[in-house]
Amino acid sequence: MEFTAIDYSIFALLLVLSSAIGLFYALSGDRQRTVQEFLLANRDMGCLPVALSLLASFQSAVAILGVPAEIFRFGTEYWFLGCSYFLGLLIPAHIFIPVFYRLHITSTYEYLELRFNKTVRVFGTITFIFQMVIYMGVVLYAPALALNAVTGFDLWSAVLTMGLVCTLYTTLGGLKAVIWTDVFQTLVMLAGQVAVIVVGAWRVGGMAHVWRVAEQEGKIAGIDLDPNPLERHTFWSLSVGGIFMMLSLYGVNQAQVQRYLCARSEREAKLSCYAVFPCQQIVLCLSCLIGLVMFVYNLEHPLAPSRRPASSDQLVLFFVMDVLQDLPGLPGLFVACLFSGALSTISSAFNSLATVTMEDLVRPHFPGLSESRATLLSKLLALGYGLLCLGMAYVSSMLGPVLQAAISIFGMVGGPLLGLFCLGMFFPCANPTGAIVGLLAGLAMAFWIGIGSFLQSWGAKGVPPVNSTTLPTVGNLSTVLATTLLPPTSAPPSPTGLQRFYSLSYMWYSAHNSTTVVLVGVLVSLLTGPTPAAALDPRTISPVLPWLLCCLPPKIRRWLCCGGGDPAQVPGHADTTEKSHGVPNGLSPPGPDWQGGEGHGYIRSAAAPIYAVQETSF
């Protein structure tokens, strides 16, 4: 089906308004003349726009296409992922945000230097850059390819238009423009999904009929309490494994943490986390309902064989084009919904990559860089990453099935980074050597399971395993991305030996890899000599640590905390200015503000061990 003029107009309006938001913030306020304004929106954002931006950052076109296809094929079991959202957002609000926000950092990886040393910070930064650079080109290319296959929409025109528009408003308007375009694009995504559900349900006789037919056909899943970690989707893998996945996204990922840090107060940052919870539930419900409506519609109005999709990633688009074809403008609205998901994800990547490159790799080597030059360089970095994204989209078109491994890297890297931050916040005994070895061990484990499973399956049968996060492709690369949650229809024989290790459900990847980092990191730290109290900044330890350790015997608490006394009272304590080599990154050294002031809310006695820190505002 070809687009009408109205459809093209709605799609163009999305791009024009997104660009206009960037131009508005480039010409208003301080006109993005300071690093603080460009990278952190002057730390003056309210909780609602921050929450919607948090939601939009990882609500990509991959999810908009993939989740309904998952429900269409396998039923509503995936819906139980919503059980993980509560703790997956409550934990960041009360554990990660207080630490990051009170340190007044700009890059998440500044924390790693304060807690460990500069080497650990650089390792974390490079790992994150590697993760995002590979991901953003793929996210840009996939929806354009799927759309081209279904509607005939020109592939590279869509890629270039999206990439250039996103680069424009991110470079001109900074984080404030990214956040407000995310808000606008979130509303477009919700409108497009609601339109599809309403029209599709009306065409088949209402939502009650949809639910009844889906239940009769066995698509409404019950609770599967099977504890087997090799099962792809169970209640435990979705609700417990999903918590770790959520923490890797909403707890320590720079794109999300940067939004917490731009809130006008710590309270607003926490409220933004609370506000994301109902928004995430709504988005998940909409995606699942589209899948159910699509299933029932397909039963009652099957497509002609010549018009059936060649791959699962096209299921949603074929359904939308068939349902909305008599309603001019609505196909264009859904395409705008699809591309809004891509734009919000890519703009977040540009901005976060510019931030970590500037704060972690440039400023430490040029501490005397003036504010105006630092701001200009930040904008050039955002522009450079935008152009790199277009290049990565082109590379994606040339890689073929190898993309199945590339897209999995995003999930593989998130778990080890989560483990690295948990190691620093919850284990005062952890030292820099343990942190680096733990991170490398976590990454090695992640790539061993992910890539090893992929290579073994393709080498043996040409079909990924049942618990893989990927699907085979036959001349259509977008299948790789839009169906990253979908396994083959027919399950392979039961795995044996090392194959069982490779068959671990992808929902457990983050939990498995982050645990590997913590265990290896603690063990290596104890073997090489725990961090001495004099070298430990107590503000880098989570303020909830006393509650986590309160049920343990005193001897074990002292062992985990290495018996550390008050670093601030020990001669030679390395304050934040020394550990950051004097870089003007907004960090405040330990002083009256942290010892007892309201700004940080800590109460410590002079001789109290680290684990006795109390946090009064929890």
Side-chain angles (χ1 to χ4, degrees):
M1 173 186 169
E2 297 293 334
F3 269 20
T4 65
I6 297 177
D7 295 317
Y8 279 111
S9 299
I10 291 176
F11 178 59
L13 186 61
L14 166 73
L15 301 177
V16 170
L17 290 178
S18 296
S19 301
I21 293 173
L23 289 172
F24 174 78
Y25 285 107
L27 301 174
S28 63
D30 293 332
R31 299 187 179 184
Q32 310 299 319
R33 291 175 179 169
T34 65
V35 174
Q36 179 94 340
E37 183 179 16
F38 184 75
L39 297 180
L40 287 176
N42 263 347
R43 298 185 188 265
D44 192 35
M45 298 300 297
C47 67
L48 186 57
V50 170
L52 292 178
S53 183
L54 288 168
L55 175 68
S57 294
F58 287 101
Q59 182 62 19
S60 68
V62 173
I64 294 172
L65 293 175
V67 175
E70 160 76 17
I71 302 299
F72 176 88
R73 300 179 69 197
F74 302 105
T76 59
E77 191 166 34
Y78 184 78
W79 210 331
F80 287 110
L81 181 65
C83 297
S84 69
Y85 290 171
F86 180 71
L87 286 179
L89 293 167
L90 186 67
I91 292 174
H94 289 284
I95 292 182
F96 294 108
I97 289 179
V99 173
F100 292 141
Y101 199 92
R102 296 171 192 184
L103 287 173
H104 300 288
I105 59 180
T106 299
S107 165
T108 316
Y109 305 99
E110 291 178 60
Y111 166 84
L112 296 178
E113 181 173 358
L114 295 174
R115 174 61 181 87
F116 297 111
N117 60 21
K118 186 173 181 59
T119 303
V120 180
R121 176 179 179 176
V122 171
F123 265 82
T125 300
I126 292 175
T127 303
F128 172 76
I129 292 175
F130 172 70
Q131 175 192 32
M132 296 302 290
V133 164
I134 288 181
Y135 184 65
M136 64 184 184
V138 172
V139 167
L140 176 63
Y141 180 70
L145 184 59
L147 189 68
N148 170 261
V150 175
T151 67
F153 203 95
D154 185 70
L155 172 63
W156 288 107
S157 294
V159 169
L160 289 173
T161 301
M162 276 200 307
L164 293 176
V165 167
C166 194
T167 302
L168 175 69
Y169 72 73
T170 304
T171 303
L172 294 179
L175 183 60
K176 189 167 288 189
V178 170
I179 288 177
W180 283 110
T181 51
D182 282 350
V183 171
F184 166 63
Q185 289 157 5
T186 299
L187 298 177
V188 173
M189 282 190 280
L190 294 175
Q193 290 176 303
V194 168
V196 171
I197 293 172
V198 170
V199 176
W202 172 71
R203 289 283 176 91
V204 296
M207 187 54 68
H209 176 70
V210 169
W211 192 269
R212 184 168 57 253
V213 172
E215 192 171 25
Q216 292 171 355
E217 296 293 330
K219 292 296 181 179
I220 307 300
I223 298 179
D224 182 359
L225 297 177
D226 186 353
N228 184 3
L230 304 185
E231 290 294 326
R232 179 172 172 268
H233 283 166
T234 66
F235 175 80
W236 303 114
S237 67
L238 290 165
S239 60
V240 180
I243 291 174
F244 287 86
M245 184 183 71
M246 291 290 291
L247 291 179
S248 68
L249 291 177
Y250 287 91
V252 300
N253 188 282
Q254 171 66 27
Q256 306 295 62
V257 172
Q258 199 167 334
R259 281 150 179 75
Y260 303 143
L261 298 177
C262 77
R264 62 174 62 100
S265 67
E266 182 182 323
R267 180 175 177 273
E268 294 277 350
K270 288 182 177 180
L271 287 176
S272 68
C273 248
Y274 299 152
V276 171
F277 175 70
C279 296
Q280 283 277 24
Q281 296 288 358
I282 291 171
V283 167
L284 179 62
C285 288
L286 291 177
S287 296
C288 292
L289 289 176
I290 289 176
L292 291 179
V293 172
M294 190 164 63
F295 174 77
V296 175
Y297 184 87
N298 184 67
L299 286 178
E300 300 184 2
H301 305 279
L303 291 173
S306 60
R307 297 184 58 199
R308 288 178 183 171
S311 58
S312 299
D313 61 306
Q314 298 173 358
L315 283 170
V316 177
L317 284 169
F318 269 95
F319 164 69
V320 168
M321 294 306 160
D322 194 58
V323 167
L324 303 180
Q325 60 182 326
D326 299 327
L327 301 170
L330 288 186
L333 177 62
F334 187 80
V335 169
C337 159
L338 188 66
F339 277 68
S340 290
L343 287 171
S344 59
T345 302
I346 298 166
S347 62
S348 299
F350 292 170
N351 194 264
S352 59
L353 284 168
T355 301
V356 298
T357 304
M358 182 66 199
E359 297 297 324
D360 299 332
L361 302 181
V362 176
R363 279 207 181 207
H365 296 289
F366 300 95
L369 198 65
S370 66
E371 186 71 14
S372 59
R373 290 195 174 188
T375 305
L376 176 61
L377 184 55
S378 298
K379 293 181 179 181
L380 291 176
L381 285 170
L383 175 62
Y385 278 117
L387 299 177
L388 178 61
C389 177
L390 292 174
M392 286 302 299
Y394 178 75
V395 171
S396 299
S397 70
M398 307 296 291
L399 287 179
V402 177
L403 277 182
Q404 298 192 47
I407 189 61
S408 298
I409 289 174
F410 185 83
M412 293 176 192
V413 174
L417 285 177
L418 171 64
L420 181 61
F421 281 94
C422 289
L423 180 68
M425 290 187 187
F426 301 121
F427 296 90
C429 61
N431 63 21
T433 303
I436 292 175
V437 174
L439 176 63
L440 294 178
L443 289 171
M445 186 66 71
F447 279 84
W448 182 18
I449 295 177
I451 303 297
S453 174
F454 166 77
L455 293 178
Q456 173 180 296
S457 301
W458 271 79
K461 300 179 181 180
V463 178
V466 67
N467 289 327
S468 170
T469 58
T470 57
L471 268 183
T473 60
V474 183
N476 188 349
L477 305 184
S478 59
T479 306
V480 178
L481 306 177
T483 55
T484 53
L485 303 178
L486 307 182
T489 302
S490 58
S494 298
T496 58
L498 194 60
Q499 291 179 347
R500 291 179 61 83
F501 185 65
Y502 290 150
S503 298
L504 179 70
S505 170
Y506 76 96
M507 290 301 302
W508 289 111
Y509 279 7
S510 287
H512 180 267
N513 299 332
S514 59
T515 302
T516 299
V517 173
V518 170
L519 292 178
V520 173
V522 170
L523 180 61
V524 171
S525 297
L526 294 176
L527 292 176
T528 57
T531 298
L536 186 66
D537 185 342
R539 296 177 303 164
T540 61
I541 304 300
S542 173
V544 302
L545 188 60
W547 282 269
L548 297 177
L549 300 182
C550 66
C551 59
L552 299 178
K555 185 175 181 180
I556 296 180
R557 292 204 302 267
R558 286 194 297 271
W559 177 74
L560 288 174
C561 298
C562 303
D566 186 348
Q569 305 298 327
V570 179
H573 169 66
D575 67 23
T576 53
T577 304
E578 295 170 337
K579 294 190 76 174
S580 60
H581 306 289
V583 176
N585 54 12
L587 297 171
S588 56
D593 190 31
W594 82 269
Q595 287 175 344
E598 269 184 327
H600 296 286
Y602 288 99
I603 298 176
R604 286 175 51 91
S605 63
I610 293 299
Y611 56 79
V613 176
Q614 300 292 322
E615 209 281 327
T616 59
S617 62
F618 181 75

